[in-house]
Amino acid sequence: MSAQIINGKEIVSSYRAEIKEEVQSLAAQGIQPGLAVIIVGEDPASLVYVRNKAKACEEAGMYSEVHRLPENTTEAELLRLIRQLNGNPRIHGILVQSPLPKHISEERVVEEIAVEKDVDCFHPVNVGNVTIGKDAPLPCTPAGVIQILKKINVPIAGKHAVVVGRSNIVGKPMALLLLREHATVTVCHSRTPNMEEITRQADILVAAVGKAKLIKKHHVKPGAVVIDVGINRLETGKLAGDVDFDDVLETAGYVTPVPGCVGPMTITMLLRNTLEAAKRSAQAQPAVKA
Ligand code: GUN
């Protein structure tokens, strides 16, 4: 039997329509969620991501501004811009696109972003909140994966979820969010011996390593849900995920396409976090009644 290809476009467009409606109802109260995206340097892939994020904001009726800084921007200059944005009431979310040039510390930069405007959920306080299960913004890619599983009605509780990859952006928070949904979670990484013995036990397999077509059919249990977070540029110029899509198609129960599923869902979660940040900020500073 052939796997069902998860229809990312349909999931994303219905989710974004809900967000847009909420943005419209906030507009009636005089509030427009605002996102500031900062990019340092000229990395072509990052420039595309940033453009897509700003475009998605505009389509949802949100305000967005993109700050394009030259490669030789100093860390002090970047921190100064972040502090300005922290104090700007028009801006509810701040995102600094990574990777940053080597002379700038990503850790230092993330710590400068106001916790309540950290829509990427990279600030140590937000990471801590996710870890202890506190109601707080969720990291965009892992939150998007959970939403995809929910939209296709895949039960998570009690299932064995295997995450391949242990990055701070995806692998680690992905494991935490699956745990919050009551899955039994295993994390595999570059030092895991006989990885296929573990991945073959997965009811839900999430690949987030950044290695094109690493996951083949011998890694996949028949009927498993395979979520591909990877996005890799092949020598041919084409994009490929971490999953060998054609190879797993006959074995998996469900599989996500790359591009067109986890990527746009990540941006959708960014919109959701920006909207929620705007709502929290409005609650913190209620309009003065006459
Ligand atoms: N670079 C690759 N993915 C991301 C992301 O989700 N957020 C930011 N800020 N940078 C990225």
Side-chain angles (χ1 to χ4, degrees):
M1 218 189 77
S2 196
Q4 282 198 47
I5 299 166
I6 298 174
N7 191 339
K9 279 206 182 100
E10 205 173 283
I11 298 173
V12 164
S13 68
S14 78
Y15 214 116
R16 288 199 191 173
E18 283 170 28
I19 292 174
K20 197 169 176 173
E21 263 181 41
E22 276 201 59
V23 171
Q24 279 163 355
S25 68
L26 270 187
Q29 301 167 47
I31 301 156
Q32 187 186 28
L35 175 72
V37 181
I38 305 173
I39 178 164
V40 186
E42 300 289 327
D43 177 56
S46 294
L47 283 166
V48 173
Y49 294 144
V50 162
R51 224 174 290 135
N52 288 343
K53 286 168 186 175
K55 190 165 156 257
C57 267
E58 281 151 30
E59 283 170 2
M62 297 185 182
Y63 170 72
S64 82
E65 53 187 47
V66 175
H67 296 260
R68 270 186 78 169
L69 308 181
E71 180 83 20
N72 63 0
T73 301
T74 64
E75 187 176 285
E77 284 167 334
L78 178 55
L79 295 178
R80 205 171 310 129
L81 172 60
I82 292 172
R83 281 194 289 273
Q84 274 169 19
L85 295 167
N86 283 344
N88 181 346
R90 185 112 212 239
I91 297 299
H92 305 99
I94 302 169
L95 180 151
V96 182
Q97 185 68 28
S98 62
L100 286 170
K102 296 237 172 338
H103 64 276
I104 300 180
S105 158
E106 296 213 5
E107 212 176 293
R108 179 71 193 83
V109 166
V110 161
E111 281 171 6
E112 197 66 29
I113 298 173
V115 171
E116 66 279 9
K117 296 193 179 187
D118 168 38
V119 280
D120 256 331
C121 194
F122 289 172
H123 192 287
V125 169
N126 285 325
V127 174
N129 284 336
V130 171
T131 308
I132 59 173
K134 212 170 141 181
D135 190 21
L138 298 177
C140 300
T141 303
V145 171
I146 298 288
Q147 287 308 320
I148 291 168
L149 294 172
K150 290 191 171 172
K151 288 267 180 191
I152 61 168
N153 290 317
V154 165
I156 308 174
K159 298 294 174 189
H160 188 182
V162 176
V163 180
V164 184
R166 55 174 161 175
S167 68
N168 286 336
I169 296 189
V170 187
K172 284 183 208 162
M174 187 73 250
L176 285 169
L177 295 199
L178 287 162
L179 206 51
R180 268 170 88 145
E181 299 292 331
H182 314 289
T184 301
V185 183
T186 307
V187 180
C188 297
H189 48 78
S190 52
R191 305 277 182 96
T192 305
N194 306 323
M195 191 177 79
E196 65 273 17
E197 283 175 17
I198 297 167
T199 57
R200 262 207 308 269
Q201 295 173 32
D203 303 303
I204 299 165
L205 179 59
V206 182
V209 256
K211 283 208 168 131
K213 302 188 183 191
L214 177 78
I215 302 297
K216 311 271 186 202
K217 63 171 172 253
H218 68 274
H219 292 96
V220 177
K221 174 163 116 175
V225 181
V226 180
I227 306 283
D228 193 352
V229 176
I231 182 147
N232 309 285
R233 178 81 55 190
L234 301 176
E235 274 175 16
T236 58
K238 278 180 89 177
L239 292 176
D242 290 352
V243 175
D244 190 333
F245 185 84
D246 295 328
D247 200 53
V248 307
L249 213 46
E250 289 301 310
T251 311
Y254 287 92
V255 62
T256 59
V258 173
C261 193
V262 174
M265 201 58 192
T266 296
I267 296 181
T268 308
M269 294 299 107
L270 175 68
L271 301 179
R272 159 72 50 204
N273 281 350
T274 306
L275 170 65
E276 295 300 328
K279 288 202 288 196
R280 277 195 298 273
S281 131
Q283 277 161 7
Q285 296 144 359
V288 179
K289 290 212 176 96

